[in-house]
Amino acid sequence: SAIGIFVGKTLPKNLSLEFIIPLMFLALAVPFLHKKPYIITAVISAIIMVLTRGIPYNGGFFLAVFFGMIGGVVAKRRFVHAD
């Protein structure tokens, strides 16, 4: 997109893919954060990821995905049926 073209030029050249890849996923996820269940899923996943970042072999990532999905299902059942 045009934003990527202009913002990409301002990023320092010493940034590795370890920084760029999460930004890409964040850019893909943001448009979906318009309903409560999606926001709750993202928040749960982010909190679990931060709390478990020291687990070897990216175990924290898998825990964040698992608990984010569980939280999202519970939130969707609660908020969709409440509307």
Side-chain angles (χ1 to χ4, degrees):
S1 71
I3 295 172
I5 292 170
F6 295 115
V7 174
K9 293 179 182 179
T10 63
L11 294 174
K13 297 202 184 298
N14 62 351
L15 290 178
S16 66
L17 287 178
E18 292 177 2
F19 177 77
I20 301 301
I21 291 174
L23 284 181
M24 180 189 68
F25 283 111
L26 184 62
L28 291 172
V30 167
F32 292 100
L33 298 179
H34 61 280
K35 293 185 179 180
K36 285 182 185 179
Y38 302 138
I39 295 169
I40 291 170
T41 300
V43 168
I44 290 171
S45 295
I47 290 170
I48 297 295
M49 188 68 206
V50 169
L51 293 176
T52 60
R53 67 183 176 270
I55 296 177
Y57 305 113
N58 290 327
F61 172 76
F62 294 110
L63 289 173
V65 169
F66 177 75
F67 286 109
M69 288 189 311
I70 298 294
V73 168
V74 170
K76 188 170 183 180
R77 287 182 181 170
R78 177 176 166 85
F79 290 111
V80 170
H81 295 298
D83 291 340

